[in-house]
Structures are given as structure tokens and as C-alpha cells.
């Protein structure tokens, strides 16, 4: 068996004072927090596409920049098999319990769908085989129905019914292999499900077709007995000007309009939330309070750039607030933290793949520690419940209980006069959050 990351051995936890860049400073997998180990809380996953398919390409350098030990393998299937080995070696060296893939990441497309599916079967067998002597599992599978030219106008929202059918066939197979590999979720990211101009678009038909497609997926999941979660990953734009699954709020409304809300949850990606003009925490919380937070694509954008830069998450402020949402939902069940993140074009060495994941894992580990202290102390919860306490008694309770209407509220106001309002204390709370971040 070949070794693809020869210069790196198993990454160990060495604590915050370590000078070793190939060690965890904050992620201590076996450390217990509130009765669960860090590893169980965080459920990290490596993204196959960025880690094993990413070339460091950009529109000004399509050939990419990265140097990998599998670069010299010429045959497409030999390369795909090598990447299976590289994936397990990488996850095992990092101690990451999961990975995620698109169908086309693990096996290259052939001339026909039949041939492509055969290739998938070969690679799925190789993955299954490798899983027998590994603890590494599949967090989720998905379909790449956006790179091939046939999906230029979209997949389930294409203007062409044959393309809709092709995408359905692809999802069917991808769901089957996800199930076969014990995947715990199946993700839909809308790729090109959106539009460039309404001058050539029947938006109503496209949205209705998207709902039809998702309903077919729900039906097929039931038919084959796949017990993983179905998740949709909202994104407002890129590659299309307007993506139909814009953000959590849009997707929740779309689900409710089409009776899908009981069947599909969200996979929230940090950089997608910020592209939609929200904070990461906003979309996480909106999903959580609607019982729709399934999993997370962990990354971060750049504050100065308006696109999906998919950087490794290093902002402890954001990872803390994100983990607070995960704690509040009672932890992940089937979901986890998938690093949908790529090293920068200039970070082209294999070691950079380790540094990127270590940076992200440490940032989320520390976020978990801080969030758990915040949650235990309950100071923000207390402030919020006191801020709304008026809704627990008197006229506030009558409003909540649906006992009063405009007439009663007018009478109340005429009798009680000007309301007394109190400070929101934002700055005091922000300073308190900093105290937690810096070591309270
Ligand atoms: C694209 C994106 C995808 C999905 C899976 O922005 O996030 O990689 O996570 O298709
Ligand atoms: Co993603």
C-alpha cells in the first residue's frame, strides 16, 4: 500500500503552548465536555472535493498550483483508487472521523451514465473494503449536477426535461451508494439551480420542478429504506446570479409551500450565510428554532471579498457562536462539521492540507470550550429571558396565549399610557462575550 503523506505522522494534541505546527493546540479529541468527548461533539469531516480534487486553480490560473504525490498517476481509475487510499490515510492521520464526497469526486465520469455508474461501483467497493480496517466513516454523499456541460441551464430546474431526468438518475445512484457506504446524510446543494436572467426563465415552472424533484428524492429515500437525513445547503448566488435556495428563510418558506418541511433539513455553510448578507449564527439559529438544523459546512469567507472563498475557519468569535447554536439544539445527531474549505492557491504543498484542517479543528474545538462555558453560566440566556419577561404575565401573556386582539390592546394602551422601555445593553454584552473568549 502506498503512503501519500509520507512526511506526516498522526497528529497529536500538544496543548496551547506547543510550537509544533503539526499538532493540535486546542482539539483534544478524548477530552470530555458536558459528558461527551470533543470528538463526539464536533464530528469533523474532510471534504473530498477540496482536499483530493482541488488544484489551487482560479480564473487567472486554470492549471492550478498544487503539488500532490498522486500527480503522476495517468490512468483516471488508478488515480481514483489512489485518492481513496489518500483519503483514508489523511483522515486517519488527522484523527478526523468522517469524510464527504460528490459522486464525481470519487469516480470520473465516463462516456455514458451506465459506464459512469460502473466506475462508481468499482470505487465504492474499494471504499467499502478500506472501511473494514478503518474507523473513518461517511458523513454525507452528494451529487455533482453542476460541472458537466449538460447542466448549463441547471439540473432539476433546467429548461430541458431530459436534463431533469439525467439529474434524477444521478441522485438515485448517489443516494444508493451513500446508503451502501453507511452515509449518515444526503446533501442537495443547488449547483446551477437558479437563473441568470428572467428574460429567458419561467421561474414558476423551475421552482415547481425543484419541488417535484425533491419530493421524488424523499419518496426514493423511503423506498430504499435510507435512514440518513436529507439536507439542503442554501446559497444565495454563485455560480448563478440568483440561486433558488437563497438562504435558510427562503428554503423554509419553499419547503412549507411544497410540504417538504418534515422531510428535509439544512446543511448550513458559513460562507453561504455571509454571502446572503447574514451572519453564520443567524442562519444557524433560524434553522435551529425551526427544528431544521441538520449539519454544518464549516468554513469562512473573507470580509473584503464578495464571493465564496471557502477558507478554513479560524475566527474563534464565529466558531464560538456557531457551537453555541449546536449546543442549544442538543448537539448533532447525524450531522457534523464538514470542512468545505480549501487551502489558498499559494499554499500548494501537501503539508498545507494538514495545517488548514488543524487550524479549523482547533478553532472549532476552542469555540466548543467557550460556548460550553457560556451555556453553563447561562448569562446571555438570563439576559434574554429577562428582556422578554413581560410576555410571561399580564398583557404580555395574553398576547402570547392569543387571548387579545387589537380592541383589547387599544383599551390596554389607553389605560396604561406610555410604555416604559429599557436598554438593550449591546456593548455590555459584547464586552462580556469578549471576556469569555479571552479566558473568563
Ligand atoms: C458550493 C458548496 C458545495 C456543497 C456540496 O458552494 O458548498 O461544495 O457543499 O455540493
Ligand atoms: Co458547501
Amino acid at each position: 500500500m502506498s503512503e501519500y503523506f509520507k512526511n506526516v505522522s498522526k497528529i497529536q494534541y500538544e496543548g496551547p503552548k506547543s510550537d509544533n505546527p503539526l499538532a493540535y493546540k486546542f482539539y483534544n479529541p478524548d477530552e470530555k465536555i458536558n459528558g461527551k468527548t470533543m470528538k463526539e461533539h464536533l464530528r469533523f469531516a474532510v471534504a473530498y472535493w477540496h482536499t483530493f480534487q482541488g488544484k489551487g486553480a482560479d480564473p487567472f490560473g486554470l492549471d492550478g498550483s498544487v503539488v500532490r504525490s498522486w500527480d503522476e498517476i495517468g490512468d483516471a481509475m488508478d488515480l481514483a483508487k489512489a485518492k481513496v487510499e489518500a483519503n483514508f490515510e489523511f483522515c486517519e492521520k488527522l484523527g478526523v472521523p468522517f469524510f464527504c464526497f460528490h459522486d464525481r469526486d470519487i469516480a470520473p465520469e465516463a462516456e455514458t451514465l451506465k459506464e459512469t455508474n460502473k466506475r462508481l461501483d468499482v470505487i465504492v467497493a474499494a471504499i467499502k473494503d478500506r472501511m473494514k480496517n478503518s474507523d473513518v466513516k461517511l458523513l454525507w454523499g452528494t451529487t455533482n449536477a453542476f460541472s458537466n456541460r449538460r447542466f448549463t441551464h441547471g439540473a432539476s430546474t433546467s429548461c430541458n426535461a431530459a436534463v431533469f431526468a439525467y439529474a434524477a438518475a444521478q441522485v438515485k445512484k448517489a443516494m444508493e451508494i451513500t446508503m451502501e457506504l453507511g452515509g449518515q446524510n444526503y446533501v442537495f446543494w443547488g449547483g446551477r439551480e437558479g437563473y441568470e436572467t428572467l428574460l429567458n426563465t419561467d421561474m414558476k415552472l423551475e421552482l415547481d420542478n425543484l419541488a417535484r424533484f425533491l419530493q421524488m428524492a424523499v419518496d426514493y429515500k423511503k423506498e430504499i429504506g435510507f435512514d440518513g437525513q436529507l439536507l439542503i445547503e442554501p446559497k444565495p448566488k454563485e455560480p448563478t446570479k440568483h440561486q433558488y435556495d437563497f438562504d435558510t428563510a427562503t428554503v423554509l418558506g419553499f419547503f412549507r409551500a411544497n410540504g417538504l418541511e418534515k422531510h428535509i433539513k439544512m446543511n448550513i455553510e458559513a460562507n453561504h450565510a455571509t454571502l446572503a448578507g447574514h451572519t453564520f449564527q443567524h442562519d444557524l439559529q433560524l434553522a435551529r428554532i425551526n427544528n431544521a438544523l441538520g449539519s454544518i459546512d464549516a468554513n469562512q469567507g473573507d470580509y473584503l471579498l464578495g464571493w465564496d472563498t471557502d477558507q478554513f475557519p479560524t475566527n474563534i468569535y464565529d466558531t464560538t457562536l456557531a457551537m453555541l447554536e449546536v449546543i442549544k439544539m442538543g448537539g448533532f445527531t447525524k450531522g457534523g462539521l464538514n470542512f468545505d474549505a480549501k487551502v489558498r492557491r499559494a499554499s500548494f504543498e501537501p503539508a498545507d492540507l494538514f495545517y488548514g484542517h488543524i487550524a479549523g479543528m482547533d478553532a472549532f474545538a476552542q469555540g466548543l470550550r467557550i460556548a460550553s462555558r457560556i451555556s453553563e453560566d447561562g448569562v446571555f440566556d438570563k439576559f434574554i429571558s429577562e428582556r422578554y419577561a413581560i410576555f410571561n404575565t399580564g398583557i404580555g401573556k395574553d398576547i402570547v396565549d392569543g387571548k387579545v386582539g387589537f380592541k383589547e390592546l387599544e383599551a390596554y394602551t389607553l389605560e396604561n399610557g406610555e410604555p416604559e422601555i429599557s436598554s438593550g445593553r449591546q456593548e455590555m454584552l459584547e464586552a462580556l462575550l469578549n471576556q469569555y473568549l479571552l479566558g473568563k
Side-chain angles (χ1 to χ4, degrees), residues 77 83 112 124 233 250 265 317 323 408:
M77 282 301 279
K83 286 180 182 177
T112 63
V124 166
E233 186 178 315
T250 308
K265 292 188 170 188
Y317 204 98
M323 286 316 295
E408 292 79 9

Side-chain angles (χ1 to χ4, degrees), residues 49 102 140 142 146 189 233 235 267 269 272 297 308 310 340:
W49 51 101
H102 298 86
W140 51 261
T142 186
F146 43 86
W189 168 60
E233 186 178 315
K235 185 174 185 180
N267 182 39
E269 177 164 326
H272 294 182
D297 265 14
D308 195 13
D310 280 346
D340 192 354

